[in-house]
Amino acid sequence: LLVNGFSRSVGDRCPEIPRLRRRIQDLGACGALMTGSGSAVYGLVQDDDHGARLAQALRGLGYWAVAARTVRAGYEFTEDGEI
């Protein structure tokens, strides 16, 4: 279950956010949500390959997108979606 209490109010003011969430899910993400107050939208994927394919598809649509994975502290990502 992915929940962000700001989603509705921010989405009303910036309809691109809910459109992007739907697009990410339509492209195969297991789920999608905006961060905090809407500075970014992310999708959850099954594995590194799934993430790389999703990021590539989003870049092909004109979005800035990278694949990343959770780590103990900080983050890991590269521009080409390879981790």
Coordinates of all heavy atoms in Angstrom, one line a residue:
L1 N 0.8 -1.2 0.0 CA 0.0 0.0 0.0 C 0.9 1.2 0.0 O 1.7 1.4 0.9 CB -0.9 0.0 1.2 CG -1.8 1.2 1.4 CD1 -2.9 1.2 0.3 CD2 -2.5 1.0 2.8
L2 N 0.7 2.1 -1.0 CA 1.5 3.3 -1.1 C 0.6 4.5 -0.9 O -0.4 4.6 -1.6 CB 2.1 3.4 -2.5 CG 3.1 2.3 -2.9 CD1 3.5 2.5 -4.3 CD2 4.3 2.3 -2.0
V3 N 0.9 5.3 0.1 CA 0.0 6.4 0.4 C 0.9 7.7 0.7 O 1.9 7.7 1.3 CB -0.7 6.1 1.7 CG1 -1.6 7.3 2.1 CG2 -1.6 4.9 1.6
N4 N 0.4 8.8 0.1 CA 0.9 10.1 0.4 C -0.2 11.1 0.6 O -1.0 11.3 -0.3 CB 1.8 10.6 -0.7 CG 2.5 11.9 -0.5 OD1 1.9 12.8 0.2 ND2 3.7 12.1 -0.9
G5 N -0.4 11.6 1.8 CA -1.5 12.5 2.1 C -1.6 13.7 1.3 O -2.7 14.3 1.1
F6 N -0.5 14.1 0.6 CA -0.5 15.3 -0.2 C -1.0 15.1 -1.7 O -1.2 16.0 -2.4 CB 0.8 16.0 -0.2 CG 1.2 16.7 1.0 CD1 2.3 16.2 1.7 CD2 0.5 17.7 1.5 CE1 2.7 16.8 2.9 CE2 0.9 18.4 2.7 CZ 2.0 17.9 3.4
S7 N -1.1 13.8 -2.0 CA -1.3 13.4 -3.4 C -2.5 14.1 -4.0 O -2.4 14.7 -5.1 CB -1.5 11.9 -3.6 OG -0.3 11.3 -3.4
R8 N -3.6 14.1 -3.4 CA -4.8 14.7 -3.9 C -4.7 16.2 -4.1 O -5.0 16.8 -5.2 CB -6.1 14.4 -3.1 CG -7.3 14.9 -3.7 CD -8.6 14.6 -2.8 NE -8.7 13.1 -2.7 CZ -9.5 12.4 -3.5 NH1 -10.1 12.9 -4.5 NH2 -9.5 11.1 -3.3
S9 N -4.3 16.9 -3.1 CA -4.2 18.4 -3.2 C -3.1 18.8 -4.1 O -3.3 19.8 -4.9 CB -4.0 19.0 -1.8 OG -2.8 18.6 -1.2
V10 N -2.0 18.2 -4.1 CA -0.9 18.5 -5.1 C -1.4 18.2 -6.5 O -1.2 18.9 -7.5 CB 0.4 17.9 -4.7 CG1 1.5 18.1 -5.8 CG2 0.9 18.4 -3.4
G11 N -2.0 17.0 -6.7 CA -2.5 16.6 -8.0 C -3.5 17.5 -8.6 O -3.6 17.7 -9.8
D12 N -4.3 18.1 -7.7 CA -5.3 19.1 -8.2 C -4.6 20.3 -8.8 O -5.1 20.9 -9.7 CB -6.2 19.5 -7.0 CG -7.2 18.4 -6.6 OD1 -7.4 17.5 -7.4 OD2 -7.8 18.6 -5.5
R13 N -3.5 20.7 -8.2 CA -2.8 21.9 -8.6 C -1.8 21.6 -9.8 O -1.5 22.5 -10.5 CB -2.0 22.5 -7.5 CG -3.0 23.2 -6.5 CD -2.2 23.8 -5.3 NE -3.1 24.4 -4.4 CZ -2.9 25.4 -3.7 NH1 -1.7 26.0 -3.8 NH2 -3.8 25.9 -2.9
C14 N -1.3 20.4 -9.8 CA -0.4 20.0 -10.8 C -0.8 18.6 -11.4 O -0.3 17.6 -10.9 CB 1.0 19.9 -10.2 SG 2.3 19.6 -11.4
P15 N -1.7 18.6 -12.3 CA -2.2 17.3 -12.8 C -1.2 16.4 -13.5 O -1.5 15.2 -13.7 CB -3.3 17.7 -13.8 CG -3.1 19.2 -14.1 CD -2.3 19.8 -13.0
E16 N 0.0 17.0 -13.8 CA 1.0 16.1 -14.4 C 1.5 15.0 -13.5 O 1.9 13.9 -13.9 CB 2.2 17.0 -14.9 CG 3.3 16.2 -15.5 CD 2.9 15.4 -16.8 OE1 1.9 15.7 -17.4 OE2 3.6 14.4 -17.0
I17 N 1.4 15.3 -12.2 CA 1.8 14.3 -11.2 C 1.0 13.0 -11.2 O 1.5 11.9 -11.4 CB 1.9 14.9 -9.8 CG1 3.1 15.9 -9.8 CG2 2.2 13.8 -8.7 CD1 3.2 16.7 -8.5
P18 N -0.3 13.1 -11.1 CA -1.1 11.9 -11.2 C -1.0 11.2 -12.6 O -1.1 10.0 -12.7 CB -2.6 12.3 -10.8 CG -2.6 13.8 -10.9 CD -1.2 14.3 -10.7
R19 N -0.9 12.0 -13.6 CA -0.7 11.5 -15.0 C 0.6 10.7 -15.1 O 0.6 9.6 -15.6 CB -0.7 12.6 -16.0 CG -2.1 13.0 -16.5 CD -2.0 13.8 -17.8 NE -1.2 15.0 -17.7 CZ -1.7 16.2 -17.4 NH1 -3.0 16.4 -17.1 NH2 -0.9 17.3 -17.3
L20 N 1.7 11.2 -14.5 CA 2.9 10.5 -14.5 C 2.8 9.2 -13.6 O 3.4 8.2 -14.0 CB 4.1 11.4 -14.0 CG 5.5 10.8 -13.9 CD1 5.9 10.2 -15.3 CD2 6.4 11.8 -13.4
R21 N 2.2 9.3 -12.5 CA 2.0 8.1 -11.7 C 1.3 7.0 -12.5 O 1.7 5.8 -12.5 CB 1.2 8.4 -10.4 CG 2.0 9.1 -9.4 CD 1.1 9.3 -8.1 NE 0.7 8.0 -7.6 CZ -0.3 7.8 -6.8 NH1 -1.1 8.8 -6.5 NH2 -0.6 6.6 -6.4
R22 N 0.2 7.3 -13.2 CA -0.5 6.4 -14.0 C 0.4 5.8 -15.1 O 0.4 4.6 -15.4 CB -1.8 7.0 -14.6 CG -2.9 7.1 -13.6 CD -4.2 7.5 -14.2 NE -4.2 8.8 -14.8 CZ -4.3 9.9 -14.2 NH1 -4.6 10.0 -12.9 NH2 -4.3 11.0 -14.9
R23 N 1.1 6.7 -15.8 CA 2.0 6.3 -16.9 C 3.1 5.3 -16.4 O 3.3 4.3 -17.0 CB 2.7 7.5 -17.5 CG 3.7 7.1 -18.6 CD 4.0 8.3 -19.5 NE 2.9 8.5 -20.4 CZ 2.7 9.6 -21.2 NH1 3.6 10.5 -21.1 NH2 1.7 9.7 -22.0
I24 N 3.7 5.6 -15.2 CA 4.7 4.7 -14.6 C 4.0 3.3 -14.4 O 4.6 2.3 -14.7 CB 5.3 5.3 -13.4 CG1 6.2 6.5 -13.7 CG2 6.1 4.2 -12.6 CD1 6.7 7.3 -12.5
Q25 N 2.9 3.3 -13.8 CA 2.2 2.0 -13.6 C 1.8 1.3 -14.9 O 2.0 0.1 -15.0 CB 1.0 2.2 -12.7 CG 1.4 2.6 -11.3 CD 0.2 2.9 -10.4 OE1 -0.7 3.7 -10.8 NE2 0.1 2.3 -9.3
D26 N 1.4 2.1 -15.9 CA 1.0 1.5 -17.2 C 2.2 0.9 -17.9 O 2.1 0.0 -18.7 CB 0.4 2.6 -18.1 CG -1.0 3.0 -17.7 OD1 -1.6 2.3 -16.8 OD2 -1.5 4.0 -18.2
L27 N 3.4 1.5 -17.6 CA 4.7 0.9 -18.1 C 5.2 -0.3 -17.4 O 6.3 -0.8 -17.7 CB 5.7 2.0 -18.2 CG 5.5 3.1 -19.2 CD1 6.5 4.3 -19.0 CD2 5.6 2.5 -20.6
G28 N 4.5 -0.7 -16.3 CA 4.8 -1.9 -15.7 C 5.3 -1.9 -14.3 O 5.7 -2.9 -13.7
A29 N 5.4 -0.7 -13.7 CA 5.8 -0.6 -12.3 C 4.8 -1.3 -11.3 O 3.6 -1.3 -11.6 CB 5.9 0.9 -11.8
C30 N 5.3 -1.9 -10.3 CA 4.4 -2.5 -9.3 C 3.6 -1.5 -8.5 O 2.6 -1.8 -8.0 CB 5.3 -3.3 -8.3 SG 6.3 -4.6 -9.1
G31 N 4.1 -0.3 -8.5 CA 3.4 0.8 -7.8 C 4.1 2.1 -8.1 O 5.3 2.1 -8.5
A32 N 3.5 3.3 -7.9 CA 4.1 4.6 -8.1 C 3.5 5.6 -7.2 O 2.3 5.5 -6.8 CB 3.9 5.0 -9.6
L33 N 4.3 6.5 -6.7 CA 3.9 7.5 -5.8 C 4.8 8.7 -5.9 O 5.9 8.6 -6.3 CB 4.0 6.9 -4.3 CG 3.4 7.7 -3.2 CD1 1.8 7.6 -3.4 CD2 3.7 7.0 -1.9
M34 N 4.2 9.9 -5.5 CA 5.1 11.1 -5.5 C 5.8 11.1 -4.1 O 5.3 10.6 -3.1 CB 4.3 12.3 -5.7 CG 3.4 12.7 -4.6 SD 2.6 14.3 -4.9 CE 2.2 14.8 -3.2
T35 N 7.0 11.7 -4.1 CA 7.7 11.9 -2.9 C 7.2 13.1 -2.1 O 6.7 14.1 -2.8 CB 9.2 12.1 -3.2 OG1 9.4 13.3 -3.9 CG2 9.8 11.0 -3.9
G36 N 7.2 13.1 -0.9 CA 6.9 14.3 0.0 C 5.8 15.2 -0.6 O 4.7 14.8 -0.7
S37 N 6.2 16.4 -0.9 CA 5.2 17.3 -1.4 C 5.2 17.4 -2.9 O 4.6 18.3 -3.5 CB 5.5 18.7 -0.8 OG 6.8 19.2 -1.2
G38 N 5.8 16.4 -3.6 CA 5.6 16.3 -5.0 C 6.8 16.7 -5.9 O 6.7 16.9 -7.1
S39 N 8.0 16.7 -5.3 CA 9.2 17.1 -6.1 C 9.6 16.0 -7.1 O 10.3 16.3 -8.0 CB 10.3 17.5 -5.2 OG 10.7 16.4 -4.4
A40 N 9.2 14.8 -6.8 CA 9.6 13.7 -7.7 C 8.5 12.6 -7.6 O 7.7 12.6 -6.7 CB 10.9 13.1 -7.3
V41 N 8.4 11.8 -8.6 CA 7.5 10.6 -8.7 C 8.4 9.4 -8.9 O 9.3 9.4 -9.7 CB 6.5 10.8 -9.8 CG1 5.6 9.5 -9.9 CG2 5.7 12.0 -9.6
Y42 N 8.1 8.3 -8.2 CA 9.0 7.1 -8.3 C 8.1 5.9 -8.5 O 6.9 5.9 -8.2 CB 9.8 6.9 -7.1 CG 9.1 6.7 -5.8 CD1 8.8 5.4 -5.4 CD2 8.7 7.7 -5.0 CE1 8.1 5.1 -4.2 CE2 8.0 7.5 -3.8 CZ 7.7 6.2 -3.4 OH 7.0 5.9 -2.3
G43 N 8.6 4.9 -9.1 CA 8.0 3.6 -9.3 C 8.7 2.5 -8.6 O 10.0 2.6 -8.6
L44 N 8.0 1.5 -8.1 CA 8.6 0.3 -7.5 C 8.7 -0.8 -8.6 O 7.7 -1.0 -9.3 CB 7.9 -0.1 -6.3 CG 7.8 0.9 -5.1 CD1 6.9 0.3 -4.0 CD2 9.1 1.3 -4.6
V45 N 9.8 -1.4 -8.7 CA 9.9 -2.5 -9.7 C 10.4 -3.8 -9.1 O 10.8 -3.8 -7.9 CB 10.9 -2.0 -10.8 CG1 10.4 -0.8 -11.5 CG2 12.3 -1.7 -10.2
Q46 N 10.4 -4.9 -9.8 CA 10.7 -6.2 -9.3 C 12.2 -6.4 -9.1 O 12.7 -7.1 -8.2 CB 10.2 -7.2 -10.2 CG 8.7 -7.2 -10.2 CD 8.1 -8.2 -11.3 OE1 8.8 -8.8 -12.1 NE2 6.8 -8.4 -11.2
D47 N 13.0 -5.8 -10.1 CA 14.5 -6.1 -10.0 C 15.2 -5.0 -10.8 O 14.6 -4.1 -11.4 CB 14.8 -7.5 -10.5 CG 14.3 -7.8 -11.9 OD1 14.3 -6.9 -12.7 OD2 13.9 -9.0 -12.1
D48 N 16.6 -5.1 -10.9 CA 17.4 -4.1 -11.6 C 17.0 -4.0 -13.0 O 16.9 -2.9 -13.6 CB 18.9 -4.4 -11.4 CG 19.4 -4.2 -10.0 OD1 18.7 -3.6 -9.2 OD2 20.5 -4.7 -9.7
D49 N 16.8 -5.2 -13.7 CA 16.5 -5.1 -15.1 C 15.2 -4.4 -15.4 O 15.0 -3.7 -16.3 CB 16.4 -6.6 -15.7 CG 17.8 -7.2 -15.8 OD1 18.8 -6.5 -15.9 OD2 17.9 -8.4 -15.8
H50 N 14.2 -4.7 -14.5 CA 12.9 -4.1 -14.6 C 13.0 -2.6 -14.5 O 12.4 -1.8 -15.2 CB 11.9 -4.7 -13.6 CG 10.5 -4.3 -13.7 ND1 9.6 -4.5 -12.6 CD2 9.8 -3.7 -14.6 CE1 8.4 -4.0 -12.9 NE2 8.5 -3.5 -14.2
G51 N 13.8 -2.2 -13.5 CA 14.0 -0.7 -13.3 C 14.7 -0.1 -14.4 O 14.4 1.0 -14.9
A52 N 15.7 -0.7 -15.0 CA 16.4 -0.2 -16.2 C 15.5 0.0 -17.4 O 15.5 1.0 -18.1 CB 17.6 -1.1 -16.5
R53 N 14.6 -1.0 -17.6 CA 13.7 -0.9 -18.7 C 12.7 0.2 -18.5 O 12.4 0.9 -19.4 CB 13.0 -2.3 -18.9 CG 13.9 -3.3 -19.5 CD 13.1 -4.6 -19.9 NE 12.2 -5.1 -18.9 CZ 12.5 -6.0 -17.9 NH1 13.7 -6.4 -17.9 NH2 11.6 -6.4 -17.1
L54 N 12.2 0.3 -17.3 CA 11.2 1.4 -17.0 C 11.8 2.8 -17.1 O 11.3 3.7 -17.8 CB 10.6 1.2 -15.6 CG 9.6 2.3 -15.1 CD1 8.4 2.3 -16.0 CD2 9.2 2.0 -13.7
A55 N 13.0 2.9 -16.6 CA 13.7 4.2 -16.8 C 14.0 4.6 -18.2 O 13.8 5.7 -18.6 CB 15.1 4.2 -16.0
Q56 N 14.4 3.6 -19.0 CA 14.6 3.8 -20.4 C 13.3 4.2 -21.1 O 13.3 5.1 -22.0 CB 15.2 2.6 -21.1 CG 15.5 2.7 -22.6 CD 16.5 3.8 -22.8 OE1 17.5 3.9 -22.1 NE2 16.4 4.5 -23.9
A57 N 12.2 3.5 -20.8 CA 10.9 3.9 -21.4 C 10.5 5.3 -21.1 O 10.1 6.1 -21.9 CB 9.9 2.9 -21.0
L58 N 10.7 5.7 -19.8 CA 10.4 7.1 -19.4 C 11.3 8.1 -20.1 O 10.8 9.2 -20.5 CB 10.4 7.2 -17.9 CG 9.3 6.5 -17.1 CD1 9.7 6.4 -15.7 CD2 8.0 7.2 -17.4
R59 N 12.5 7.8 -20.2 CA 13.4 8.7 -21.0 C 13.0 8.9 -22.4 O 13.0 9.9 -23.0 CB 14.9 8.3 -20.9 CG 15.5 8.5 -19.5 CD 17.0 8.3 -19.5 NE 17.4 7.0 -19.8 CZ 17.6 6.0 -18.9 NH1 17.4 6.2 -17.6 NH2 18.0 4.8 -19.3
G60 N 12.5 7.8 -23.0 CA 12.1 7.8 -24.4 C 10.8 8.7 -24.5 O 10.5 9.2 -25.6
L61 N 10.1 8.9 -23.4 CA 8.9 9.8 -23.5 C 9.3 11.2 -23.1 O 8.4 12.0 -23.0 CB 7.9 9.2 -22.5 CG 7.3 7.9 -22.9 CD1 6.4 7.3 -21.8 CD2 6.5 8.0 -24.2
G62 N 10.6 11.5 -22.8 CA 11.0 12.8 -22.5 C 11.2 13.2 -21.1 O 11.4 14.3 -20.7
Y63 N 11.0 12.2 -20.2 CA 11.2 12.4 -18.8 C 12.6 12.2 -18.4 O 13.3 11.4 -19.0 CB 10.3 11.4 -17.9 CG 8.8 11.7 -18.1 CD1 8.1 10.9 -19.0 CD2 8.2 12.7 -17.4 CE1 6.7 11.1 -19.1 CE2 6.9 12.9 -17.5 CZ 6.1 12.1 -18.4 OH 4.8 12.3 -18.5
W64 N 13.1 12.9 -17.3 CA 14.4 12.5 -16.7 C 14.1 11.4 -15.8 O 13.3 11.5 -14.9 CB 14.9 13.7 -15.9 CG 16.2 13.5 -15.3 CD1 17.5 13.6 -15.9 CD2 16.5 13.0 -14.0 NE1 18.5 13.3 -15.0 CE2 17.9 12.8 -13.9 CE3 15.7 12.6 -12.9 CZ2 18.5 12.4 -12.7 CZ3 16.3 12.1 -11.8 CH2 17.7 12.0 -11.7
A65 N 14.8 10.3 -16.0 CA 14.5 9.1 -15.2 C 15.8 8.3 -15.0 O 16.5 8.1 -16.0 CB 13.4 8.2 -15.9
V66 N 16.0 7.7 -13.9 CA 17.1 6.8 -13.6 C 16.6 5.7 -12.8 O 15.6 5.8 -12.0 CB 18.3 7.5 -12.9 CG1 18.9 8.6 -13.7 CG2 17.8 8.1 -11.5
A67 N 17.2 4.5 -12.9 CA 16.9 3.4 -12.0 C 17.8 3.6 -10.8 O 19.0 4.0 -10.8 CB 17.3 2.1 -12.7
A68 N 17.3 3.3 -9.6 CA 18.0 3.4 -8.4 C 17.6 2.2 -7.5 O 16.5 1.6 -7.7 CB 17.7 4.7 -7.6
R69 N 18.4 1.9 -6.5 CA 18.0 0.8 -5.6 C 18.2 1.3 -4.2 O 19.0 2.3 -3.9 CB 18.8 -0.4 -5.8 CG 20.2 -0.4 -5.3 CD 20.8 -1.8 -5.2 NE 20.9 -2.4 -6.4 CZ 22.0 -2.9 -7.0 NH1 23.1 -2.8 -6.4 NH2 21.9 -3.5 -8.1
T70 N 17.4 0.8 -3.3 CA 17.6 1.1 -1.9 C 18.9 0.5 -1.4 O 19.3 -0.6 -1.8 CB 16.4 0.6 -1.0 OG1 16.3 -0.8 -1.2 CG2 15.1 1.3 -1.4
V71 N 19.5 1.2 -0.5 CA 20.8 0.8 0.1 C 20.7 1.1 1.6 O 19.8 1.8 2.0 CB 22.0 1.4 -0.5 CG1 22.2 1.0 -1.9 CG2 21.9 2.9 -0.4
R72 N 21.6 0.6 2.4 CA 21.6 0.9 3.9 C 21.6 2.4 4.2 O 20.9 2.8 5.1 CB 22.7 0.2 4.5 CG 22.6 -1.3 4.6 CD 23.6 -1.9 5.5 NE 23.6 -3.3 5.4 CZ 22.9 -4.1 6.1 NH1 22.1 -3.6 7.1 NH2 22.9 -5.4 6.0
A73 N 22.3 3.1 3.4 CA 22.4 4.6 3.7 C 22.7 5.2 2.3 O 23.5 4.7 1.6 CB 23.5 4.9 4.7
G74 N 22.1 6.3 2.1 CA 22.3 7.1 0.8 C 21.6 6.5 -0.4 O 20.4 6.1 -0.2
Y75 N 22.2 6.5 -1.5 CA 21.5 6.0 -2.8 C 22.6 5.5 -3.7 O 23.8 5.8 -3.6 CB 20.7 7.1 -3.4 CG 21.6 8.3 -3.7 CD1 22.2 8.5 -5.0 CD2 21.8 9.3 -2.8 CE1 23.0 9.6 -5.3 CE2 22.5 10.4 -3.1 CZ 23.1 10.5 -4.3 OH 23.9 11.6 -4.6
E76 N 22.1 4.8 -4.7 CA 23.0 4.4 -5.8 C 22.2 4.6 -7.1 O 21.1 4.1 -7.2 CB 23.4 2.9 -5.7 CG 24.2 2.6 -4.6 CD 24.5 1.1 -4.5 OE1 24.3 0.4 -5.5 OE2 24.9 0.6 -3.4
F77 N 22.7 5.2 -8.1 CA 22.1 5.3 -9.4 C 23.1 5.7 -10.5 O 24.2 6.2 -10.2 CB 20.9 6.2 -9.5 CG 21.2 7.7 -9.3 CD1 21.5 8.4 -10.5 CD2 21.2 8.3 -8.1 CE1 21.7 9.8 -10.4 CE2 21.4 9.6 -8.0 CZ 21.7 10.4 -9.1
T78 N 22.7 5.4 -11.7 CA 23.5 5.9 -12.8 C 22.6 6.5 -13.9 O 21.4 6.1 -13.9 CB 24.4 4.8 -13.5 OG1 23.6 3.8 -14.0 CG2 25.4 4.2 -12.4
E79 N 23.1 7.3 -14.8 CA 22.2 7.9 -15.8 C 21.6 6.8 -16.8 O 20.5 6.9 -17.2 CB 23.0 8.9 -16.7 CG 23.2 10.2 -16.0 CD 21.8 10.9 -15.8 OE1 21.0 11.0 -16.8 OE2 21.6 11.3 -14.7
D80 N 22.4 5.8 -17.0 CA 21.9 4.8 -18.0 C 21.0 3.7 -17.4 O 20.6 2.8 -18.1 CB 23.1 4.2 -18.8 CG 24.0 3.4 -17.9 OD1 23.7 3.2 -16.7 OD2 25.0 2.9 -18.4
G81 N 20.7 3.8 -16.2 CA 19.8 2.8 -15.5 C 20.5 1.6 -15.0 O 19.9 0.8 -14.4
E82 N 21.8 1.5 -15.2 CA 22.6 0.4 -14.7 C 23.0 0.7 -13.3 O 23.5 1.8 -13.0 CB 23.8 0.1 -15.6 CG 23.4 -0.3 -17.0 CD 22.7 -1.6 -17.1 OE1 23.0 -2.5 -16.4 OE2 21.7 -1.7 -17.9
I83 N 22.9 -0.3 -12.5 CA 23.3 -0.1 -11.1 C 24.6 -0.9 -10.8 O 24.7 -2.0 -11.2 CB 22.2 -0.4 -10.1 CG1 21.0 0.5 -10.4 CG2 22.6 -0.3 -8.7 CD1 19.8 0.2 -9.6

